[in-house]
């Protein structure tokens, strides 16, 4: 199995935070008087050992959304500690307002970004940072191996 080094903790923490938030929101919804169909669902999932399934589902969704070339361009412009405004991301990715806004919404939904709707400030998350570091590190390593392999070819 592939051992992720460096960004592993950021990915792990970001994914844990996002799945926990999602599960807690569903659990709160289940406790409403009108939501009888799922009462006790979270406890049953935990007891049955199915929480990794929820984490896997969200991680795969985050990878799918984050690996889109335009979305990845947005992720590279985001930082967990420095908010940016939508026009900055629009310019960076060459998108109009609607397209940029919807792509940011996709990133938010899978835990790769946060968005303050009042000031429309957008920030990356630890999950996004870990993913970008992982992808860039892997791309650099593959590039180096390719350089070495191509240098060994006869000329």
């Amino acid at each position: 199995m592939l051992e992720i080094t460096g960004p592993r903790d950021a990915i792990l923490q970001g994914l844990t935070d996002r799945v926990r938030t999602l599960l807690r929101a569903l659990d709160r919804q289940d406790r409403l008087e009108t939501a009888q169909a799922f009462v006790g669902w979270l406890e049953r999932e935990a007891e049955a050992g199915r929480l990794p399934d929820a984490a896997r589902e969200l991680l795969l969704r985050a990878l799918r959304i984050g690996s889109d070339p335009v979305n990845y361009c947005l992720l590279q412009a985001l930082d967990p500690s420095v908010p940016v405004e939508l026009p900055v991301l629009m310019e960076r990715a060459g998108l109009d307002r609607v397209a940029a806004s919807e792509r940011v919404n996709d990133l938010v939904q899978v835990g790769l970004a946060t968005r303050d709707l009042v000031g429309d400030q957008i920030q990356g998350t630890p999950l996004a940072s870990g993913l970008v570091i992982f992808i860039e590190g892997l791309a650099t390593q593959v590039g180096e191996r390719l350089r070495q392999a191509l240098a060994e070819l006869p000329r």
Side-chain angles (χ1 to χ4, degrees):
M1 179 168 277
L2 179 65
E3 172 79 23
I4 301 173
T5 59
R8 181 181 187 278
D9 289 340
I11 293 171
L12 181 61
Q13 186 62 52
L15 187 60
T16 300
D17 291 347
R18 179 66 181 127
V19 173
R20 182 182 60 234
T21 299
L22 179 61
L23 292 176
R24 289 176 73 191
L26 288 171
D27 188 52
R28 278 193 305 273
Q29 187 178 24
D30 292 348
R31 294 173 193 275
L32 297 174
E33 289 181 24
T34 58
Q36 296 301 313
F38 292 107
V39 172
W41 168 82
L42 184 55
E43 291 82 11
R44 289 190 301 275
E45 291 296 296
E47 288 171 8
R50 288 190 291 262
L51 294 181
D53 296 341
R56 184 180 307 103
E57 171 66 21
L58 190 63
L59 178 58
L60 291 173
R61 287 184 62 224
L63 289 171
R64 181 176 48 83
I65 296 295
S67 66
D68 172 89
V70 176
N71 290 348
Y72 188 72
C73 178
L74 297 175
L75 286 180
Q76 289 178 301
L78 296 176
D79 185 299
S81 59
V82 181
V84 297
E85 294 179 352
L86 189 62
V88 172
L89 298 177
M90 290 168 54
E91 184 175 329
R92 171 86 186 247
L95 297 170
D96 65 28
R97 183 178 182 191
V98 172
S101 184
E102 285 302 301
R103 286 180 177 272
V104 167
N105 290 341
D106 290 343
L107 296 173
V108 169
Q109 186 176 24
V110 296
L112 293 171
T114 62
R115 186 176 196 175
D116 177 11
L117 295 178
V118 175
D120 209 16
Q121 299 287 307
I122 302 146
Q123 290 179 255
T125 64
L127 178 57
S129 295
L131 215 52
V132 169
I133 292 167
F134 174 69
I135 290 169
E136 292 302 313
L138 194 55
T140 299
Q141 290 175 4
V142 169
E144 179 57 30
R145 286 188 182 187
L146 286 171
R147 187 190 64 73
Q148 291 171 358
L150 293 174
E152 295 171 3
L153 291 176
R155 297 189 187 252

